[in-house]
Amino acid sequence: MVDLSFKIKDLYFKNPVLTASGTFGYGPEFDDFVDVSELGGVIVKGTTLEHREGNPYPRMAETPSGMLNAVGLQNKGIDYFIKHIYSEIKSYKTNMIVNVSGSAVKDYVEVAEKLNHLDAIPAIELNISCPNVKEGGMAFGTSCESAQSVISAVRKVYKKVMIVKLSPNVTDIASIAKTAEDEGADAVSLINTLLGMAIDAEKRRPILSTVTGGLSGPAVKPVALRMVWQVSKAVKIPIIGLGGIMNATDAIEFFLAGASAIQIGTANFIDPEISIKVIKGIEEYMLRHNFKTIDEMVGKLEC
Amino acid sequence: MVDLSFKIKDLYFKNPVLTASGTFGYGPEFDDFVDVSELGGVIVKGTTLEHREGNPYPRMAETPSGMLNAVGLQNKGIDYFIKHIYSEIKSYKTNMIVNVSGSAVKDYVEVAEKLNHLDAIPAIELNISCPNVKEGGMAFGTSCESAQSVISAVRKVYKKVMIVKLSPNVTDIASIAKTAEDEGADAVSLINTLLGMAIDAEKRRPILSTVTGGLSGPAVKPVALRMVWQVSKAVKIPIIGLGGIMNATDAIEFFLAGASAIQIGTANFIDPEISIKVIKGIEEYMLRHNFKTIDEMVGKLEC
Amino acid sequence: MKKSVQYFTINAVERLDAEHILIEAVSPVPLQGILPGQFVNIDVEKSKTTFLRRPISIHDVDEAKNSMKIFVKAVGDGTRAIYEMQKGEKLNTMFPLGNSFSYSNSQKPLLVGGGFGLAPLYYLAKKIAQNGIRPTVIVGARNSKNIFLTEKFQDIADVHVATNDGSLGEKGMVTEHSLFTNLENFDKIFVCGPEPMMKAVGKIAVSKNVECEVSLENTMACGIGSCLCCVADTKDGHVCVCTEGPVFNIKDLKW
Amino acid sequence: MKKSVQYFTINAVERLDAEHILIEAVSPVPLQGILPGQFVNIDVEKSKTTFLRRPISIHDVDEAKNSMKIFVKAVGDGTRAIYEMQKGEKLNTMFPLGNSFSYSNSQKPLLVGGGFGLAPLYYLAKKIAQNGIRPTVIVGARNSKNIFLTEKFQDIADVHVATNDGSLGEKGMVTEHSLFTNLENFDKIFVCGPEPMMKAVGKIAVSKNVECEVSLENTMACGIGSCLCCVADTKDGHVCVCTEGPVFNIKDLKW
Ligand SMILES: Cc1cc2nc3c(=O)[nH]c(=O)nc-3n(C[C@H](O)[C@H](O)[C@H](O)COP(=O)(O)OP(=O)(O)OC[C@H]3O[C@@H](n4cnc5c(N)ncnc54)[C@H](O)[C@@H]3O)c2cc1C
Ligand SMILES: Cc1cc2nc3c(=O)[nH]c(=O)nc-3n(C[C@H](O)[C@H](O)[C@H](O)COP(=O)(O)OP(=O)(O)OC[C@H]3O[C@@H](n4cnc5c(N)ncnc54)[C@H](O)[C@@H]3O)c2cc1C
Ligand SMILES: Cc1cc2nc3c(=O)[nH]c(=O)nc-3n(C[C@H](O)[C@H](O)[C@H](O)COP(=O)(O)O)c2cc1C
Ligand SMILES: Cc1cc2nc3c(=O)[nH]c(=O)nc-3n(C[C@H](O)[C@H](O)[C@H](O)COP(=O)(O)O)c2cc1C
Ligand code: FES
Ligand code: FES
């Protein structure tokens, strides 16, 4: 038999398949399709200090093998999350991880502090890479200095597992990953969306209300794989790979490139059962290739 | 009637559709399919000082709505070009532009000097953005300082129209475009390929002999459009937009985002007649939308 | 009804013109409990350029045959590929999605449809008819060539037509139809069509104080409330059209 | 012959097993002048995950009927979608591409094929037969289930079979077939199949001093010498398999 589990610090994941923030709601949205408790983890929607309405409609544009979104972190804020959503989702038997976003360092810190107290939230994912908000967001993830400021501040107050989610919109993602590691991140996840744009030629207008948005889906997979590979040469902490994973083969590619776990995002929209199918597919691949643990497979690319 | 012409400095292009370097050979490869002289311009294969064999096979990987290449600037060198290829292509009645690549500043300079003397080559495209060579190439295009060094050196010796081709693998493409403008570029073209990677999960090996390669095709269009839009806010020189253009509608999107002309790359592989079809499609669109000149359309995005 | 993804088998296609098609497809699972106004989300497997699923209204359900009908207009690559599907082919379908028209409290319902907006109204009319009420339907279009399905409605509803050029029914926009002069004769209006048309109907409904529900067609990615792409601006802020809608009472919308 | 892109119409399909198909398709333009060894590049329009064209050898040409045959093995999404095509459908085809086998100077040709490598050899055998020479063909495979088309060759060639498990023909690899012990009986060998097989045959040919041409199957993007993706390493450096090949004399390859 194969062992699909992996760990970040001492946090145990029964398998390496997580769902990506902003693409899986809080979990219940998928109850009809999958047993959420079977997942390695769920990263819930980006959560901010205050309630946010997000950007105006339209927020989505389909692109070749992908999509742009400009949701802009619509969420009801951390207090609402704690009061109303937490109780609904804490019974899932998997790692429920909150994606923390903000527009100022102190916002990140405050949200992280509050999450520290929730027993059923064993980890946070710091989103320093959202391209869809005016202040903060991606800006934090595009230079080592600004990344450092958020990460170190949150690290001081957050005691559990801290994952830092990196932006691909940079010249050198490896150096930003290194900064995250140096500042105490327990893992990095990459990639968030690539900044893109879509235009309606007939209407002569941008399709998104915000003009630009974040590109996700299989179109970005080659870039994501390359970045995971580059980051794996630069850091020792575990890497969670994502970007365009549509099936188990795609997931395996990320493991071989150096990821210890993966997230499934946009693919959930096309096949809401995909996350569970990917777990099964990884298991089959490991049997076929004689890998007994995920660890044996990580970075095993013969170059 | 509509006027499809545009100019870079005083170089006249009968229409704004060029073919992208590395995707159209030197022109004759497409003689069976299109009348090359009908194009606005042809940017021939990346040309270096010395003969280059390029990278080992495999050099290509298909990806979702795109492809990775790692050709690595295979070409017979500038002297061979002048002796054998120039005479074959100089009779095309369109702007034949040479894409100049190198691994050191002095190589770029030397190639540009030689091209200065060829009457039928009215312009060069400086490739400071090729991700597929070990030294030079993309490295020049990913920081303002190194971009500056090549561009200013070539500008000193090259008297005709100099286009600088930018790399998308950067945090801030607008600032590099600005550098190009400041150093005397007559136009910028963008984007070159995004650095990506593909893996064969069954063989557990990278598909490309060079591990990473350059991503092109419709997958990158949203990123290319966004960058053209950003650069159009930053510079006054004309922008030649490219990246994933598959049809006339895609081309129009680039004009609206701020490009004065476009190039067609990967699409030539799927439909070798596409360049001519795009010219016709642009004309139809302009008639329908009451644009009389290309200029009227450039940047006309209602945000 | 629990949502799921199923392969339906197409068992009849009726191409109404070069753009409009009526497809009947059989479900491998029972279709009890589908509500009028709900939609399906179709993965168009044979269209290279169609990445996301395409939301399509449920036009009719035959619980006995376990089949559903959809009425599709080819407007782009995705719907074009659906238009070209043949009997026997499989339709990758996620369903049932969305809420429902609230028709049970209406004694004198008026259904207003334009374009493929007519799609959800047939099943609504049928459900209303099953309650022993004969609804009134107005179908609007540019000209007679763009009027479809009226004969199918005739068994269960009183059907009226408005065309911009007067080539069929009354001449003018749907809101200029004579039925609108005595709108108070109806206690609820159900509208589906292009947004400007729905807004125009909504405005009259408000002015005449008649309840009005519209079915929105916001672009969607997931169809199940997880991506927050499809939001409508309501008095409660941004809400998902795919779960809180597609049917909204106009008094809840910031129109 | 000038290259062009044409929509061929499929007029016959023969599914040989769950993976192999023989398709006959009619060209809208005359097919005079196609050479054995040339290939077409197909845009698989109905496969979502197939972006580039797929190179497929020309298996046979009927100039009178203006039709061509291709023999395809479904190995991935692109070829699977071709396998699933039906009579009447259109095939977006760029052709004719590549060079040709040089068979005219051979009096005693041996054709060696494995897998879908057999594809170009039928048209070669036919052309050789038209010159009044009866070629010898060896087909190799793992077992009898993977042997195809031999009966079609029989009219024009002497056909031999080798299977790894001995379930048909001689037991063993194709290079272990008894014909190889007297390879000097032939003046030229034409090989198409998996690279290890072609290399093995090439090695013996060299050792026995018999001329040998192989047809390479490098992955391609453009098919017309413009992208430089498909290169083979030859004594003249990197050359394009799509234009200088796919057929190479092994003495030119750096094998
Ligand atoms: C809840 C819901 C129910 C629907 N029911 C039906 C139905 O029963 N029958 C039917 O034919 N269509 C219906 N639609 C619309 C249908 O989903 C779109 O026409 C389809 O997604 C277009 O896909 P495409 O690939 O063909 O075109 P695309 O290439 O995606 O778009 C082509 C053109 O259509 C426009 N367009 C795209 N999506 C929409 C939309 N949602 N509304 C209006 N214009 C759009 C685009 O702006 C573009 O100009 C419904 C939409 C929703 C949200
Ligand atoms: C000149 C030439 C002639 C050819 N003639 C024929 C023919 O007559 N009949 C036929 O069935 N096939 C032929 N092929 C091979 C055919 O082009 C590939 O099988 C096809 O491109 C695979 O596409 P796919 O989308 O089905 O598979 P993909 O998903 O692209 O690949 C599936 C698997 O097949 C492997 N593969 C892909 N391309 C090739 C290739 N070129 N050679 C070997 N393995 C490959 C991949 O590594 C992968 O493991 C020819 C190839 C060339 C270059
Ligand atoms: C609709 C949508 C909303 C998203 N919201 C968030 C978010 O709130 N926080 C975040 O860190 N990433 C967010 N993302 C990015 C995804 O988590 C993921 O990084 C990205 O989509 C790439 O993965 P994919 O290609 O598998 O979708 C969002 C993506 C999409 C498509
Ligand atoms: C096979 C291949 C070879 C290329 N060679 C070059 C080159 O020599 N010089 C260069 O500047 N760009 C080269 N490019 C990049 C293209 O010119 C273009 O910038 C890129 O492909 C994006 O455009 P597209 O998506 O339309 O292909 C090459 C691209 C491909 C696919
Ligand atoms: S479409 Fe995703 S929330 Fe409605
Ligand atoms: S496939 Fe492009 S050069 Fe051969």
Side-chain angles (χ1 to χ4, degrees), chain B residues 265-283:
Chain B
T266 304
N268 291 305
F269 305 157
I270 289 152
D271 181 357
E273 299 163 7
I274 190 67
S275 48
I276 298 296
K277 290 179 187 164
V278 168
I279 298 172
K280 299 218 175 79
I282 292 172
E283 196 168 346

Side-chain angles (χ1 to χ4, degrees), chain B residues 269, chain D residues 41 219-231 240-243:
Chain B
F269 305 157
Chain D
N41 219 356
T219 48
M220 296 180 176
C222 71
I224 55 173
S226 71
C227 73
L228 309 186
C229 286
C230 63
V231 292
C240 292
V241 169
C242 66
T243 50

Side-chain angles (χ1 to χ4, degrees), chain B residues 203, chain D residues 39 54-57 71-73 75-79 116 119 216-220 246:
Chain B
K203 299 199 184 110
Chain D
F39 63 98
R54 293 296 188 255
I56 297 291
S57 302
F71 170 56
V72 177
K73 176 175 182 182
V75 300
D77 290 354
T79 47
F116 57 73
L216 301 185
E217 283 171 354
N218 287 14
T219 48
M220 296 180 176

